[in-house]
């Protein structure tokens, strides 16, 4: 299967790449559009610095841990819910193990792409150009991403 990727502005790729147990770990991506895509997704840290000051704890990040123009993590998209659906979890709506999303500090919508708990940190990051929307990395990057997933699966 061909893995898709999404380009996200820092500091959010950094937060997605954090271990799930980290208090700032980001287990969702907020978009203005929904996705039907499910499966492994490469997280590409874009070149833009416009969002760096929007996160209140940005001063706690060591600049050496930030990467620009590179794939920094692989996550598995398990669901995409509108924020109203996230808020309805536990209020008659089936939770399907997604209770965490309702209280997750990073779920703000309008569409929340929810990730499985396992995050694969790509070390070293894979430099490549990003794109808007869901995009497909080239064949050489796909091979490297598949190796990371296979390493975790074994």
């Amino acid at each position: 299967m061909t893995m898709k990727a999404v380009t996200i502005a820092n500091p959010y790729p950094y937060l997605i790449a954090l271990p799930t147990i980290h208090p700032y770990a980001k287990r969702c991506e907020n978009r203005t559009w929904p996705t039907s895509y499910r499966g492994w997704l490469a997280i590409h840290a874009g070149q833009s610095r416009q969002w760096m000051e929007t996160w209140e704890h940005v001063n706690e990040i060591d600049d050496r841990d930030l990467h620009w123009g590179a794939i920094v993590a692989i996550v598995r998209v398990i669901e995409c819910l509108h924020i109203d659906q996230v808020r309805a979890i536990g209020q008659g709506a089936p939770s399907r193990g997604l209770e965490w999303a309702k209280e997750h500090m990073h779920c703000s919508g309008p569409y929340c792409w929810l990730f499985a708990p396992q995050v694969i940190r790509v070390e070293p990051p894979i430099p490549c150009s990003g794109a808007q929307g869901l995009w497909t990395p080239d064949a050489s990057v796909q091979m490297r991403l598949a190796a990371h997933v296979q390493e975790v699966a074994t």
Side-chain angles (χ1 to χ4, degrees):
M1 177 181 163
T2 302
M3 188 181 304
K4 295 290 188 183
V6 65
T7 299
I8 304 171
N10 270 313
Y12 302 106
Y14 165 83
L15 299 175
I16 291 169
L18 290 172
T20 304
I21 60 169
H22 193 285
Y24 300 146
K26 188 172 189 278
R27 290 186 57 197
C28 71
E29 172 58 9
N30 301 299
R31 293 281 153 160
T32 58
W33 45 279
T35 184
S36 60
Y37 181 79
R38 301 293 181 272
W40 294 109
L41 178 70
I43 302 299
H44 179 265
Q47 297 284 359
S48 173
R49 287 165 166 71
Q50 77 179 38
W51 294 96
M52 282 300 293
E53 299 305 318
T54 63
W55 188 56
E56 64 183 297
H57 302 285
V58 73
N59 61 339
E60 298 174 32
I61 301 173
D62 186 330
D63 287 344
R64 294 172 293 187
D65 292 333
L66 292 173
H67 302 280
W68 310 90
I71 293 173
V72 298
I74 303 168
V75 298
R76 195 165 47 85
V77 178
I78 57 172
E79 187 61 86
C80 177
L81 299 174
H82 188 272
I83 190 63
D84 293 338
Q85 293 172 293
V86 172
R87 291 179 182 138
I89 291 172
Q91 298 174 356
S95 63
R96 302 181 315 259
L98 301 175
E99 297 86 359
W100 60 269
K102 188 172 181 175
E103 302 299 324
H104 190 61
M105 71 187 317
H106 296 291
C107 284
S108 59
Y111 291 95
C112 304
W113 298 15
L114 305 179
F115 305 146
Q118 182 182 31
V119 176
I120 302 170
R121 191 174 184 113
V122 177
E123 290 288 348
I126 303 171
C128 63
S129 296
Q132 291 187 337
L134 278 178
W135 53 276
T136 305
D138 68 33
S140 65
V141 173
Q142 287 282 343
M143 287 177 42
R144 293 173 69 186
L145 294 171
H148 281 281
V149 171
Q150 183 64 32
E151 185 178 304
V152 171
T154 57

